[in-house]
Amino acid sequence: QVQLVESGGGLVQTGGSLRLSCTASGSIFSISAMAWYRQAPGKQRELVASIARGAGTDYADSVKGRFTISRDYVENIMSLEMNSLIPEDTAVYYCAAERQSGTTKYHYWGQGTQVTVSS
């Protein structure tokens, strides 16, 4: 099992910055990849950024150049640095992790943290 707890959401003006953190606990040694997703009201959940051992990082086109994902493997914390925020970034942001045991993959989600960007 893996437990994920997000923090760092809040209200910010257009052009501002926020840093989200996701602390993982449990069977963290077998986490192969982590990611941030977001879901805006009335929209489907979408992948924002991902980071995986041996595969580097990947970003949605809408956040490239503005967001940076990182992972501290010692402290087991994944972060998302968000700069130049725009109202379209307003959403609940979720931390996700993928754990592999043998040939089976398990997926875990945090509870979500609200990010609101005012115009």
Side-chain angles (χ1 to χ4, degrees), residues 4-78:
L4 304 172
V5 178
E6 301 104 332
S7 61
L11 173 65
V12 65
Q13 291 184 334
T14 296
S17 299
L18 280 175
R19 184 180 180 88
L20 304 183
S21 295
C22 173
T23 301
S25 60
S27 301
I28 55 177
F29 61 92
S30 56
I31 293 176
S32 56
M34 297 187 74
W36 288 98
Y37 286 76
R38 67 185 181 187
Q39 187 167 19
K43 294 187 177 181
Q44 290 187 331
R45 191 172 297 190
E46 63 174 353
L47 176 64
V48 175
S50 63
I51 185 167
R53 292 181 185 270
T57 59
D58 195 18
Y59 297 90
D61 288 343
S62 60
V63 306
K64 282 182 180 177
R66 301 188 298 121
F67 290 11
T68 303
I69 189 172
S70 61
R71 182 180 173 187
D72 184 329
Y73 290 89
V74 175
E75 298 294 332
N76 303 310
I77 298 175
M78 177 180 67

Side-chain angles (χ1 to χ4, degrees), residues 82-93:
M82 305 185 293
N83 298 313
S84 302
L85 285 161
I86 57 178
E88 289 74 17
D89 295 319
T90 295
V92 178
Y93 283 70

